[in-house]
């Protein structure tokens, strides 16, 4: 005889999860530097240049010298003429002293000196370099005062926005227990 069997079948609960992702957004605004640049100070000091032109020799060579220079020319020229005259007198004395020379030295000397012109030179010596030029260049003094940069930075905080995700749990399958009798009749007697 076959005895009936009790068969138990069980199903477990199945839980399902539905989730949405969280979102994180970060925005960072730029910092503000607030820079201020002061101007540098530059000071320049210069002395005047000096140009000296001396045209005294040129005017003297043209005969338009100052009275003092004219007197110096006359004095120098007179001195030179007198020295030439002394030299000529000495030469003429030597010529008159020569007895062996049969020429008439007195007549020749008189003939030379009758119409002789002894000019006094009133002008200076002409030259291409009669104008003296002296130039003293100026000096430039530079003083620079540097200026700094000041800045006042303003830092901006980041803007953070967070949306959390969601997790929802649900029951995908409910738990259950079922009993069943397998094999044979229950009403059988032994």
């Amino acid at each position: 005889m076959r005895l009936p069997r009790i068969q138990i079948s069980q199903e477990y609960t199945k839980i399902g999860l539905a989730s949405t992702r969280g979102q994180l957004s970060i925005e960072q605004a730029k910092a503000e530097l607030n820079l201020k640049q002061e101007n540098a100070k530059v000071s320049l000091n210069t002395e005047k240049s000096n140009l000296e032109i001396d045209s005294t020799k040129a005017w003297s060579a043209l005969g338009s010298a100052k009275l003092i220079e004219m007197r110096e020319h006359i004095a120098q020229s007179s001195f030179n003429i007198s020295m030439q005259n002394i030299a000529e007198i000495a030469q003429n004395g030597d010529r008159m002293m020569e007895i062996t020379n049969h020429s008439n030295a007195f007549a020749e000397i008189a003939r030379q000196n009758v119409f002789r012109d002894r000019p006094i030179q009133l002008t200076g010596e002409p030259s291409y370099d009669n104008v003296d030029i002296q130039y003293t260049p100026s000096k430039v003094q530079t003083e620079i005062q540097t200026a700094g940069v000041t800045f006042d930075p303003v830092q901006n905080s980041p803007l953070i926005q967070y949306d959390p995700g969601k997790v929802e749990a649900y029951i995908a399958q409910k738990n259950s227990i079922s009993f069943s009798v397998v094999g044979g009749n229950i009403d059988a007697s032994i």
Side-chain angles (χ1 to χ4, degrees), residues 39-54:
N39 293 331
K41 294 180 182 178
V42 178
S43 61
L44 298 172
N45 293 327
T46 181
E47 300 171 1
K48 289 185 179 179
S49 301
N50 189 16
L51 175 63
E52 294 179 8
I53 299 174
D54 185 10

Side-chain angles (χ1 to χ4, degrees), residues 122-133:
L122 299 177
T123 60
E125 183 179 340
S127 173
Y128 70 92
D129 194 23
N130 275 345
V131 177
D132 295 328
I133 298 174

Side-chain angles (χ1 to χ4, degrees), residues 88-121:
E88 286 178 13
I89 289 171
Q91 287 175 356
N92 289 339
D94 290 342
R95 280 178 61 192
M96 287 186 268
M97 191 173 60
E98 289 180 8
I99 300 174
T100 57
N101 188 359
H102 296 294
S103 65
N104 190 355
F106 292 99
E108 289 177 7
I109 292 172
R111 199 176 311 121
Q112 287 176 0
N113 289 335
V114 151
F115 299 110
R116 176 174 256 174
D117 187 18
R118 301 189 189 274
I120 294 177
Q121 186 174 355

Side-chain angles (χ1 to χ4, degrees), residues 109-179:
I109 292 172
R111 199 176 311 121
Q112 287 176 0
N113 289 335
V114 151
F115 299 110
R116 176 174 256 174
D117 187 18
R118 301 189 189 274
I120 294 177
Q121 186 174 355
L122 299 177
T123 60
E125 183 179 340
S127 173
Y128 70 92
D129 194 23
N130 275 345
V131 177
D132 295 328
I133 298 174
Q134 184 177 2
Y135 176 69
T136 306
S138 63
K139 295 178 181 178
V140 177
Q141 296 173 349
T142 305
E143 185 177 332
I144 300 173
Q145 294 178 349
T146 58
V149 177
T150 58
F151 61 97
D152 183 18
V154 176
Q155 297 177 352
N156 295 321
S157 299
L159 300 174
I160 301 173
Q161 184 176 2
Y162 175 67
D163 292 330
K166 294 179 182 178
V167 177
E168 296 178 359
Y170 62 92
I171 296 176
Q173 178 180 336
K174 289 186 176 183
N175 58 341
S176 63
I177 295 177
S178 61
F179 298 93

Side-chain angles (χ1 to χ4, degrees), residues 45-82:
N45 293 327
T46 181
E47 300 171 1
K48 289 185 179 179
S49 301
N50 189 16
L51 175 63
E52 294 179 8
I53 299 174
D54 185 10
S55 60
T56 306
K57 293 179 189 175
W59 287 111
S60 176
L62 291 172
S64 299
K66 294 180 180 177
L67 183 60
I68 295 173
E69 294 173 24
M70 192 70 74
R71 284 191 306 194
E72 289 177 11
H73 286 304
I74 292 171
Q76 185 65 39
S77 192
S78 298
F79 177 75
N80 291 341
I81 289 171
S82 63

